[in-house]
Amino acid sequence: MRLLSFLTLLLALTSTTASAQGTLWHAGTFRSLPTVSGELVTFTDGLAHPTAGGFGKLSSTRAAAFNVFLTALFTAIDASLVDGNTGVWCDVQAKATAANYAVRRFFDTTTGRWFIYGYDTSAFGQAYFFINPYAKRNLVIEVPHEPYDFNTDIQGARLFTALAARVLIINKEDRCSDPDATSCSGSTSACGGYFRESDVAHQDMSTFHLLHKWLDDQPRPSRFIQLHGMQGSSSDMAEISDSTSNDYDVGSISTRFATALDKYVPRPSAVHSCQEAVGNPPSNLCAVTNVQGRYTNDSANNACTTSTSFASDRFLHIEQHPSLRDNDNSDGYFWGDIRDALKDLWPTCDMNNGATDCTLGGAQSQYSKLECL
């Protein structure tokens, strides 16, 4: 009798454990996040990018609160992937509020997949972000200059899903909005001839940069592709840089990506790497002063003021003609060329069963909301 009782208890415990472990990440406590749904590409295209000068740099207090929020957020993601009932998503919401952020579960009606959507609730124009908890590639898509670099947000959303990437970060405030000059080094022909504080690619006190840093500082640091736009010409369709000060580095990631992109476009000679030869490409857009690139290449330096010749092999800065950003392949160029070249450059899918299935995955169920107590 005692043996039977013991076996009954053991069976009950085993069943409970199996049930808990079998709870999908999006079916458990993740449901305590408020819900937003829509077509991701259309949704990102509709995000506001104010131009009235309202941008505000992060205070040290808010920066600290945002980092606490990020730690809670990614801790909840990791816990939920193991057991959907263990992520402490109500605490994530509380820490988001303390950082003047909102965090939502976002259901993409095109792919049928759940993502995480975060946005600034203050008037200071800090970044939007989307996270795929079940990403297959540890890849971050960055869009710092929408709408100045028109259609980079749409392109970013398409790449985010097509590559099953981990994070998509999009600027909120227009890069030219703030009249104040950034204290970071560099010069530009845009925005009246100087970098503004609202230009998150050239200013390090922003949630855009803090999220980049957080993802870069992990034991398994992310790879980054930052999307930009240029007017270009038929002979200058793309200028690619690793964001170092190196003029010539045949092994650079920028040169390898350019070689990969050559296979997908009708005119390979119009694709330029800043590191492929001595001298500058036609438009000389080589991102030496980009603060995210500087940080990833050499985090020991001051990313705001100091360029570096050290190449991390994890940061790509891509300036693109409008044809490479759109969804029209009739001229031989479209966003899919960038997608395919990235797959060639970074084929490894080493997250969330990616070695078996590198796709975004099938549609997920829309479970009802849970309430935080």
Side-chain angles (χ1 to χ4, degrees), residues 127-139:
Y128 306 102
F129 65 79
F130 297 85
I131 298 172
N132 179 4
Y134 204 70
K136 303 300 177 61
R137 287 182 173 88
N138 192 7
L139 176 62

Side-chain angles (χ1 to χ4, degrees), residues 13 61 94 98 127 135 144-145 161 168 221 229 267 295 305 313 338 348 364:
L13 289 172
T61 300
H145 289 160
T161 56
L168 168 64
R267 191 174 182 182
Y295 186 84
T305 60
D313 215 41
I338 301 295
T348 303
Q364 298 170 319

Side-chain angles (χ1 to χ4, degrees), residues 209 212-214 216-217 290-301 303 308 314:
H209 189 65
H212 177 100
K213 286 178 62 178
W214 199 97
D216 193 83
D217 289 345
N290 183 285
V291 297
Q292 288 81 47
R294 284 174 166 179
Y295 186 84
T296 292
N297 284 322
D298 191 352
S299 60
N301 280 344
T308 180
R314 291 188 293 105

